[in-house]
Amino acid sequence: MSNAEMLEIKNLTAGIEDNEILKGINLSIGAGEVHAIMGPNGSGKSTLASVLAGREDFEVTGGEVSFKGHDLLEMEVEERAREGLFLAFQYPVELPGVSMANFLKEAVNSVRSHRGQDALSAVEFIKLMKERAALVDLNPDLKKRAVNEGFSGGEKKRNEIFQLAMLEPSLAILDETDSGLDIDALRIVADGVNRLRSENRSFLVITHYQRLLNYIVPDFVHVLLNGRIVKSGGKDLALKLEEHGYDWIKEELDIAEPA
Amino acid sequence: MLGAALNGSNAFLHERRRSAVEEFERLGFPAPKDESYKYTRIGRLFQGEYAVDADAPPISQSQIDALEVPDLDAHRLVVVNGHFQPEHSRIGSLPPGVIAGGLQDASASHPDVLNRFVSKFTATDADPFEALNTAFVRDGIFIFVPRGKTVEKPFHILNLVSVKSPTLVQPRVVVAAESGAAVSVIESSVAVDSVSPTLNAVSELYADTDAFVDYYRLQLDHKAGTVVTTTNVYQQSTSNARTTTITLGGRVVRNNLRFLPDGEHCETHLMGLVVANGSMHVDNHTSVDHARPNCVSNELYKNILADQSTGVFNGRVLVRQDSQKTQAYQSNRAVVLSDDARMYSKPELEIYADDVMCSHGAATGRIDPESIFYLRSRGLSLEDARKMMLQAFSRDVTDSIRVAPLREYVDQLVRQRL
C-alpha cells in the first residue's frame, strides 16, 4: 500500500467457544481506501466486523490488529469508537426510551472530548444533526424518536449511515448494510457513503452482493472463504463473483467445501 | 390515650379512632404466614419498643429548602413527625373555598367538611397499618377543593421524619376534590437526623364526579428506616385519579394502594418506579376494585434492583360481574443488576364480567447486552451506556409525571442513583 496505514490485520484468528471462525486473516487498509469483503454465508464476514468493533462474544485466539498505529485488540469497545472506528450494524438495535438526540449528543461529545474538542452547543448540535440527516434523507424530526424504535428496515440502515456522518470516523465498517434494502434505499445509503468518502477516511464494506458495489465503487475487493481471505483484486473481481459465484475460486484453490 | 389527639371536640373522629383501636387490636401486625405480606415479613420489624408519637423537633429552614423541588412553584405544606408546621409552610393564595392546612386545625375549623372524608373509604380487606394510623394519628394535612374549582399550582407536602429513638411517625393526608374540581398533590417524605425511623403514613384521596386528582408520592432517603404507606383512592363517576409512587429510599418499604372507582367512566392510573440498592426491600401492593362498568385502569410499575435489593409487586385487579366494558391494563417490569437482587411479581386478576378488555404482563431481566454494545460502539463508556439504558427503562414512568419541574427532578434523582 502506498498510503499511510489505517488498519493492519496480521494472521488474525478468532472464534466463539471452541469454534474457530477466523483462521488467519491478513488485510491492510490504507487511509482513504475503500475495501470490499465478499463471501458466502458462514465465511466469517460478520465475525470479522464484530471482532474489529470489539464484540465480546468472540474470543481472539491469535494475531495482531493495528489501527492507526495502536493495538486495536487491547482497546475497549468505546475506545475504538472514540479513536475513530465505526461499525454500521447489520441488525441495528432498537433502544426504546433513548431519544436519538440524547444518544447522539452523548456519542458525539464523547468522541469530541477524546479528540480534545469542545462539546457542541445545543444550537451547533441541532444544526449538525439537520445537515447530516439530509445526507441520507432522514427526517430531522427523528431527534425526538427513540433510537431505531419503530424504524423501517431501510430507515434503520440509513440511521446507521447518519450516525457515521455524525461521528466522522477514520474507518467505517459497513456490515451488510445493503441487506434487505430496496433499490431506492440502497441508492440513498450508497450516495450517503460516497459523500462521506475522503482521503482521511477508509471504508471496509462487507457484503454478500455485488450490486452495492455498483454504487460504492471499491478500490479493492477481497474474497473471504472459510475464515481466510483467499483472493484479492480490483473492483472487477466483484463482477466476476456475481457472474460465476464462488465455486471457481474454491476449485482454483482446491479448497474443500466446509462441512 | 386518645385525649391529646386529633379529634379534640370532634365526636365523629373520636368514634372513628376508637373503632380503629379495636380493629388494630383484632388484627395485630401481620403474622409471618399472612398471605398479603408473604414477601415482606414486616411484623418482626415492629416487635421492639417504640413510641407511637413524637413531637416535632426544630427543623432549620435550610434543611427544608434542601428538599424543595427546583423550579417548582407550589403551595408548600411542611409536616414534621406527622405534625403540620405552619411557620415553615408557604401556602400562598388559593381559590375561594379551598381548604389547605393541618388536619388537626381542620378538625376544629371545618369539622363538617373533614368528617365527610376521613376514613370514608377504608379497605374491605382491612389492613392493620391503616387501622394503626387511624387509631393514633394526631395531625397531618387536609386539602379540600370545592365544586368546580381548579388549583392551578400543585400542593407540595414535605413530610420530614426526625427522631432520635425508635418511634412510629404516623402522618395522615386527606385530599378531597368535589365534583369538577382539579388538584395535584406531591407528597415527598424524607428522614433527617434520624436513627431508624419508622413511618406509617396514610393518604386518602377522594375524586367526586368529574374531578381530577393527581397524586405523587416521592420516597426519598429514609436511612435504615421502615416505611409503610397506605393510599386509598375513592372515585365517583367520570373522575380521573392518578397516583405515581417513586421509591428511592428506605430499608424496608411497603406501599399499599387501593382504588375504588365507584362510578361509571372513571379513569384510574397507577404508576410506580423503584430504584433500589444495598439491602433495600420495596414492596408495592396494589388493588383496583372495578365495581362499576365502563371504567379504565392503567397500571405500570417499574423496578431497577441493584446489589442485594428486593422488589415485590402484587397487583390485584377485580372486575365485578356487572362491570362490563371495563378496560384494565397492568404491567410490571424489572431490571436486576446483580445476581443477588430479587424480584417477586404477582399479578392477581379476578374477572367476573364477560365483556371486558384486561391484560397483564410481568417481566424481569437484565439490561440487554446487545444494547450496551451498540451504545459503547458509538463511544459511550460502559457506565454511561448502562445509565442511559436504565434511564430509558424508567422513562415511561417518569415521562408520565405531569408536573414538569417534578419530572425533571425525579429524572435527576434517578440518574444520580444509577
Side-chain angles (χ1 to χ4, degrees):
Chain A
M1 306 270 158
S2 55
N3 290 326
E5 290 302 340
M6 179 66 73
L7 187 76
E8 181 80 49
I9 304 176
K10 281 184 191 157
N11 203 23
L12 178 68
T13 56
I16 195 159
E17 282 160 12
D18 288 336
N19 184 17
E20 189 167 71
I21 302 168
L22 302 181
K23 298 173 181 171
I25 302 276
N26 290 291
L27 179 67
S28 291
I29 299 179
E33 294 174 355
V34 176
H35 289 240
I37 290 197
M38 299 184 72
N41 277 332
S43 57
K45 301 190 300 293
S46 282
T47 301
L48 177 61
S50 291
V51 167
L52 293 177
R55 193 188 285 277
E56 281 154 1
D57 305 350
F58 297 96
E59 196 194 344
V60 174
T61 50
E64 287 167 27
V65 181
S66 141
F67 173 52
K68 298 199 290 189
H70 304 286
D71 183 353
L72 185 76
L73 301 176
E74 279 298 304
M75 294 157 82
E76 295 288 346
V77 178
E78 57 268 34
E79 290 178 66
R80 300 177 194 208
R82 292 170 189 171
E83 201 55 53
L85 185 140
F86 181 90
L87 172 66
F89 280 53
Q90 185 179 3
Y91 305 109
V93 183
E94 295 192 13
L95 304 175
V98 178
S99 77
M100 281 296 296
N102 224 356
F103 159 64
L104 278 173
K105 200 177 290 169
E106 285 221 26
V108 167
N109 285 334
S110 66
V111 169
R112 287 181 67 88
S113 153
H114 181 78
R115 293 177 188 155
Q117 296 167 308
D118 288 337
L120 289 177
S121 73
V123 173
E124 289 168 324
F125 178 74
I126 286 165
K127 186 168 167 274
L128 185 70
M129 263 186 83
K130 217 170 161 175
E131 180 193 309
R132 300 292 153 91
L135 274 180
V136 280
D137 208 16
L138 267 183
N139 187 339
D141 279 348
L142 70 96
K143 64 177 183 283
K144 289 177 200 136
R145 292 169 69 182
V147 179
N148 292 324
E149 192 186 34
F151 283 34
S152 69
E155 274 183 314
K156 282 182 184 168
K157 295 300 177 81
R158 273 147 61 195
N159 191 18
E160 293 295 288
I161 305 306
F162 167 52
Q163 291 172 43
L164 192 168
M166 290 295 287
L167 294 173
E168 302 176 341
S170 322
L171 171 65
I173 302 166
L174 311 186
D175 188 7
E176 305 208 17
T177 298
D178 53 331
S179 62
L181 292 187
D182 63 43
I183 191 69
D184 292 330
L186 184 73
R187 200 173 286 138
I188 292 168
V189 163
D191 283 351
V193 169
N194 286 332
R195 274 187 265 175
L196 293 165
R197 286 176 77 158
S198 82
E199 57 185 17
N200 301 317
R201 183 171 297 138
S202 312
F203 286 85
L204 181 60
V205 181
I206 289 171
T207 181
H208 220 71
Y209 306 101
Q210 184 271 335
R211 62 170 193 160
L212 176 68
L213 305 180
N214 288 336
Y215 298 98
I216 304 174
V217 180
D219 300 306
F220 301 92
V221 174
H222 310 277
V223 178
L224 189 64
L225 264 184
N226 200 15
R228 284 189 186 90
I229 289 175
V230 293
K231 199 167 187 68
S232 297
K235 61 179 191 284
D236 297 341
L237 178 58
L239 287 167
K240 194 170 178 190
L241 289 168
E242 181 75 0
E243 208 172 319
H244 303 290
Y246 294 96
D247 287 348
W248 64 276
I249 300 181
K250 291 177 192 164
E251 282 163 23
E252 199 176 289
L253 296 164
D254 196 24
I255 292 177
E257 285 283 340
Chain B
M1 174 161 63
L2 304 179
L6 171 65
N7 41 295
S9 60
N10 189 329
F12 171 83
L13 282 184
H14 183 81
E15 180 49 31
R16 275 286 151 97
R17 302 180 72 228
R18 203 187 52 75
S19 63
V21 172
E22 281 172 13
E23 190 172 12
F24 180 72
E25 279 172 356
R26 182 172 61 79
L27 295 165
F29 286 112
K33 287 191 175 157
D34 190 323
E35 185 63 23
S36 67
Y37 285 86
K38 186 176 175 182
Y39 297 106
T40 306
R41 296 195 31 206
I42 205 161
R44 66 196 160 88
L45 299 173
F46 291 85
Q47 276 165 8
E49 294 229 337
Y50 46 84
V52 291
D53 190 22
D55 289 332
I59 296 281
S60 73
Q61 192 60 43
S62 61
Q63 278 176 302
I64 290 166
D65 290 344
L67 299 169
E68 292 266 300
V69 174
D71 303 323
L72 178 70
D73 186 12
H75 306 286
R76 186 171 79 185
L77 297 153
V78 175
V79 175
V80 178
N81 288 350
H83 302 275
F84 175 55
Q85 307 291 303
E87 69 279 15
H88 289 307
S89 298
R90 201 185 50 222
I91 297 174
S93 67
L94 292 166
V98 172
I99 302 168
L103 197 63
Q104 192 163 28
D105 297 342
S107 160
S109 62
H110 300 91
D112 298 344
V113 184
L114 182 65
N115 292 355
R116 279 163 56 197
F117 302 105
V118 172
S119 293
K120 181 186 166 190
F121 166 50
T122 34
T124 43
D125 48 338
D127 185 89
F129 291 101
E130 186 187 343
L132 188 63
N133 179 289
T134 306
F136 294 103
V137 61
R138 290 210 333 198
D139 200 2
I141 295 294
F142 181 53
I143 295 169
F144 170 78
V145 183
R147 186 185 176 84
K149 290 283 190 286
T150 294
V151 183
E152 299 284 347
K153 295 194 281 187
F155 288 95
H156 185 193
I157 302 169
L158 287 163
N159 219 332
L160 281 74
V161 180
S162 177
V163 291
K164 297 280 185 246
S165 60
T167 306
L168 191 55
V169 173
Q170 306 204 78
R172 193 174 191 106
V173 170
V174 179
V175 178
E178 278 194 328
S179 56
V183 63
S184 297
V185 178
I186 301 158
E187 184 177 351
S188 49
S189 64
V190 67
V192 290
D193 302 333
S194 283
V195 284
S196 304
T198 305
L199 185 66
N200 179 32
V202 173
S203 293
E204 300 178 68
L205 314 178
Y206 295 90
D208 206 336
T209 310
D210 302 322
F212 174 78
V213 175
D214 193 10
Y215 173 81
Y216 302 90
R217 191 188 280 289
L218 193 54
Q219 299 177 307
L220 303 169
D221 185 9
H222 281 273
K223 319 288 181 210
T226 302
V227 176
V228 182
T229 74
T230 301
T231 306
N232 289 337
V233 184
Y234 180 84
Q235 292 182 257
Q236 282 289 7
S237 51
T238 333
S239 64
N240 185 344
R242 305 166 48 88
T243 65
T244 306
T245 308
I246 309 285
T247 307
L248 305 171
R251 163 69 184 81
V252 175
V253 180
R254 164 73 175 221
N255 297 311
N256 292 315
L257 294 99
R258 302 190 190 82
F259 292 76
L260 179 60
D262 197 15
E264 294 194 38
H265 302 286
C266 288
E267 214 182 290
T268 303
H269 299 271
L270 308 73
M271 314 297 277
L273 175 65
V274 174
V275 184
N277 59 6
S279 55
M280 280 176 70
H281 179 111
V282 182
D283 180 351
N284 281 297
H285 200 95
T286 70
S287 160
V288 182
D289 181 353
H290 278 291
R292 307 284 173 180
N294 294 307
C295 293
V296 182
S297 68
N298 179 30
E299 177 166 17
L300 175 65
Y301 271 78
K302 294 220 161 175
N303 299 261
I304 297 173
L305 305 169
D307 306 331
Q308 301 85 42
S309 64
T310 303
V312 182
F313 172 80
N314 190 111
R316 179 168 187 248
V317 176
L318 170 62
V319 181
R320 292 179 189 266
Q321 196 168 0
D322 296 329
S323 301
Q324 299 296 2
K325 306 283 182 192
T326 294
Q327 294 177 53
Y329 308 105
Q330 181 187 88
S331 171
N332 172 233
R333 305 257 179 271
V335 172
V336 291
L337 301 176
S338 84
D339 290 340
D340 299 322
R342 291 275 178 282
M343 180 72 211
Y344 301 96
S345 186
K346 191 177 166 204
E348 279 185 75
L349 273 67
E350 287 179 52
I351 300 166
Y352 299 103
D354 52 17
D355 182 14
V356 299
M357 283 172 67
C358 296
S359 68
H360 73 91
T364 298
R366 301 223 169 219
I367 314 176
D368 173 33
E370 183 67 7
S371 302
I372 297 290
F373 176 64
Y374 192 73
L375 291 172
R376 291 178 75 196
S377 80
R378 300 306 184 240
L380 275 74
S381 69
L382 177 59
E383 199 48 39
D384 287 344
R386 262 185 72 243
K387 277 191 189 180
M388 191 174 264
M389 289 311 295
L390 290 173
Q391 227 178 337
F393 174 79
S394 63
R395 185 145 288 144
D396 39 7
V397 176
T398 53
D399 276 357
S400 76
I401 297 174
R402 298 166 70 114
V403 181
L406 181 67
R407 184 168 60 235
E408 289 292 317
Y409 179 61
V410 169
D411 223 29
Q412 185 71 34
L413 291 175
V414 169
R415 204 174 319 151
Q416 283 168 11
R417 282 295 303 279
L418 296 175

